[in-house]
Amino acid sequence: NNVKQIRAHKEAVRDLSFCPTDIKFASCSDDVTIKIWDFARCEEEHTLTGHGWDVKCLSWHPQNSLIVSGSKDNLIKLWDAKTATNISTLHGHKNTVVAIKWNQNGNWILSASRDQLLKLFD
């Protein structure tokens, strides 16, 4: 059953990720934004901006309020989900970052790009 429908972004939604407690989730889009949502109320809490082009992927840290995102601008950004601020930018790919994930204990980030590379960050 479809419980709720949200008009979330102005362009295509590319990825979704729940926080560890499932009370919030994040979405990213070709509209260049990441949004953090309250799950129970289905309301937007924050809009994160800082990527220069379509945001293609994101992953919420398995224990903390951190989100990592990848974009068509070739960048990986680390965000503080509580303050909605960019805390770090990783320059490592030469083409669109198409997938990004934290490992289960949250110590590493694995990314994949159209530059045909996988990168592991600690």
Side-chain angles (χ1 to χ4, degrees):
N1 293 337
N2 183 357
V3 178
K4 188 76 173 178
Q5 182 173 306
I6 304 167
R7 174 70 71 197
H9 290 272
K10 294 178 181 171
E11 297 288 340
V13 177
R14 294 298 183 168
D15 204 2
L16 301 165
S17 185
F18 274 101
C19 77
T21 59
D22 290 342
I23 62 170
K24 297 181 190 302
F25 65 95
S27 61
C28 66
S29 170
D30 287 353
D31 68 8
V32 195
T33 67
I34 297 164
K35 294 189 178 186
I36 300 173
W37 303 86
D38 178 282
F39 179 72
R41 295 179 293 139
C42 290
E43 291 180 4
E44 180 184 333
E45 289 190 344
H46 299 290
T47 298
L48 312 180
T49 59
H51 276 293
W53 215 341
D54 308 355
V55 186
K56 298 296 189 183
C57 51
L58 57 77
S59 181
W60 204 301
H61 190 278
Q63 289 104 26
N64 299 320
S65 292
L66 297 172
I67 296 171
V68 65
S69 62
S71 171
K72 196 171 178 178
D73 63 9
N74 310 344
L75 300 176
I76 294 168
K77 289 189 175 280
L78 190 63
W79 307 87
D80 182 323
K82 287 182 181 174
T83 63
T85 56
N86 176 224
I87 55 177
S88 184
T89 300
L90 304 173
H91 303 262
H93 286 290
K94 294 182 178 169
N95 208 321
T96 304
V97 181
V98 295
I100 198 149
K101 299 290 180 209
W102 292 96
N103 71 318
Q104 285 186 339
N105 65 13
N107 290 336
W108 302 313
I109 298 167
L110 185 63
S111 64
S113 170
R114 289 184 190 251
D115 63 11
Q116 304 172 353
L117 297 174
L118 299 175
K119 295 209 174 210
L120 185 63
F121 299 91
D122 64 358

